[in-house]
Amino acid sequence: IADLAARIDAGGEVGNVQYDPVTGNVFAPIQSRDELAEFDPRTLKLVARYPLPGARHPHGLRIAHGAAIGYVACDENDRLLVVDLKSRKVIGNLPLGRDPDVLADDGASRLYVASESGSLSAFDTSDPANPRKLGDIIAGGNAHSVAVDPASGRLFLPLRDLKGEAVMRILAPSH
């Protein structure tokens, strides 16, 4: 499928990885250092690590479409950090459900954060640098992964154990 091109020492435990087409670089939270690492995919090198003030064990990452804004979910203090990827500064800090894990968006104006606790947090990201929290729901136990169909806005959350059965829970966004 693929050949090894490089191994890069990130300096700690790496969380979710995302490519940013605006900066042309790859970003990943370094969980054990409360930092965001930036990698150059052309040179296959670590460019830098940036501190994430307000972070405790940053894990999840999603980059806003066309905006050079990163959303970082921190699973030890249940916070969503908003990071300007050009200035490398934290510009926002918002509450999340307990134990956030995976982030997904609809490609337009909604961001979702799924949590190990089953909580699902939703944000309006029509202004990517200033997301507005829409609310939290309990999507189901251990609903820590989420995908969004950009055409319908439907959310897909795999649940490992719902009354003894593994199921795919599908939610439709409220408008």
Side-chain angles (χ1 to χ4, degrees):
I1 292 178
D3 294 320
L4 178 65
R7 287 190 177 138
I8 304 170
D9 181 5
E13 181 185 3
V14 178
N16 298 152
V17 177
Q18 290 271 294
Y19 173 77
D20 176 31
V22 174
T23 62
N25 285 338
V26 172
F27 291 85
I30 307 300
Q31 299 172 143
S32 51
R33 297 176 64 107
D34 297 335
E35 294 176 336
L36 187 64
E38 181 177 4
F39 303 88
D40 184 328
R42 295 161 298 283
T43 63
L44 304 176
K45 303 236 184 258
L46 173 68
V47 174
R49 289 192 304 259
Y50 306 98
L52 292 173
R56 286 196 16 230
H57 206 261
H59 174 70
L61 174 65
R62 190 74 177 180
I63 295 178
H65 297 270
I69 297 291
Y71 305 110
V72 181
C74 304
D75 61 18
E76 286 188 3
N77 64 341
D78 308 328
R79 304 303 292 183
L80 179 71
L81 302 183
V82 182
V83 181
D84 181 321
L85 298 177
K86 288 182 179 174
S87 71
R88 284 36 176 199
K89 303 283 184 201
V90 173
I91 58 173
N93 185 326
L94 302 158
L96 289 171
R98 189 171 51 83
D99 297 327
D101 196 350
V102 174
L103 293 80
D105 64 54
D106 66 2
S109 63
R110 291 239 175 138
L111 173 73
Y112 299 95
V113 183
S115 299
E116 297 275 349
S117 66
S119 177
L120 179 70
S121 300
F123 295 86
D124 177 332
T125 56
S126 50
D127 177 358
N130 297 294
R132 183 176 54 86
K133 190 163 190 180
L134 299 172
D136 297 304
I137 65 166
I138 298 300
N142 203 23
H144 65 97
S145 182
V146 61
V148 183
D149 173 0
S152 68
R154 288 190 179 121
L155 308 170
F156 297 82
L157 298 114
L159 303 179
R160 181 174 49 207
D161 184 7
L162 184 66
K163 298 181 182 176
E165 298 288 327
V167 300
M168 178 68 71
R169 177 160 280 170
I170 303 168
L171 304 174
S174 51
H175 295 282

